Amino acid sequence: MTNQTEKTSETEINEIDTLNAICRQAKAEGKLSGKNLTGLYDLFGQRFTKALEALKENRVKKYTFRPSNRVVWIVVGRERDYLIMAEADFCTCDDFYFRVLDKKIHLCYHLLAQKIARNLGWFAPIDENDELYECLMNEWKKATT
Ligand SMILES: [Zn+2]
């Protein structure tokens, strides 16, 4: 890749918009093309490397609670599990808490991994009984500082 300076009307790259656009394309193609991999790396750097690692190691879990069909996404981290509220773009990690809320970064690597996982089906589906919902949620939320 050479240094190409493209003139864009946007002064600021919106991480979420770009990610969503790439996810849509990846979903249609059923994979991440080389161009999209490069694009994600350019945009997210280390965060993308870590997200990809989580995806490859199958650490993104989608819990579906029955019979209510409530869905909870979890990214299994090195030290603990991270609870993700996909609809709210919310994550329970420190990275999210300190930096995303501070507007320094928009997405932590867990959210990045979850969005890619959802679009490409790269997650482990887990069915649980509703009776375990409260108990598991308490467990996941407890890890939050
Ligand atoms: Zn996170």
Side-chain angles (χ1 to χ4, degrees):
M1 285 285 280
T2 51
N3 280 337
Q4 289 180 329
T5 38
E6 280 184 27
K7 290 212 162 53
T8 55
S9 53
E10 286 171 306
T11 48
E12 190 181 294
I13 298 165
N14 185 319
E15 289 189 348
I16 292 176
D17 285 351
T18 310
L19 178 62
N20 285 341
I22 290 176
C23 279
R24 268 196 304 276
Q25 204 182 335
K27 193 178 184 178
E29 292 173 1
K31 64 180 172 68
L32 280 171
S33 65
K35 187 173 156 279
N36 282 339
L37 279 170
T38 311
L40 286 168
Y41 187 76
D42 284 349
L43 191 57
F44 296 102
Q46 280 300 307
R47 277 180 286 155
F48 177 59
T49 312
K50 285 168 90 173
L52 205 57
E53 215 173 77
L55 290 162
K56 280 182 181 159
E57 291 168 7
N58 216 15
R59 286 190 278 122
V60 182
K61 319 274 181 198
K62 182 189 183 185
Y63 282 80
T64 308
F65 290 89
R66 313 284 186 195
S68 69
N69 289 327
R70 275 182 288 201
V71 171
V72 173
W73 289 85
I74 296 292
V75 175
V76 179
R78 298 270 176 249
E79 278 159 30
R80 64 179 181 91
D81 295 350
Y82 300 95
L83 172 66
I84 287 164
M85 316 275 189
E87 303 310 315
D89 282 330
F90 179 85
C91 179
T92 49
C93 71
D94 292 349
D95 212 29
F96 182 86
Y97 188 78
F98 291 114
R99 292 200 267 159
V100 178
L101 294 183
D102 224 20
K103 302 247 190 291
K104 280 182 190 153
I105 57 169
H106 297 113
L107 293 169
C108 60
Y109 89 86
H110 311 105
L111 278 167
L112 198 54
Q114 186 270 337
K115 282 175 186 294
I116 296 168
R118 189 180 55 191
N119 280 283
L120 286 170
W122 291 353
F123 56 81
I126 297 169
D127 275 12
E128 279 292 3
N129 194 289
D130 273 328
E131 284 169 25
L132 282 168
Y133 181 81
E134 293 297 330
C135 175
L136 282 169
M137 285 301 275
N138 283 337
E139 198 64 32
W140 289 320
K141 282 178 178 167
K142 202 167 61 188
T144 321
T145 44

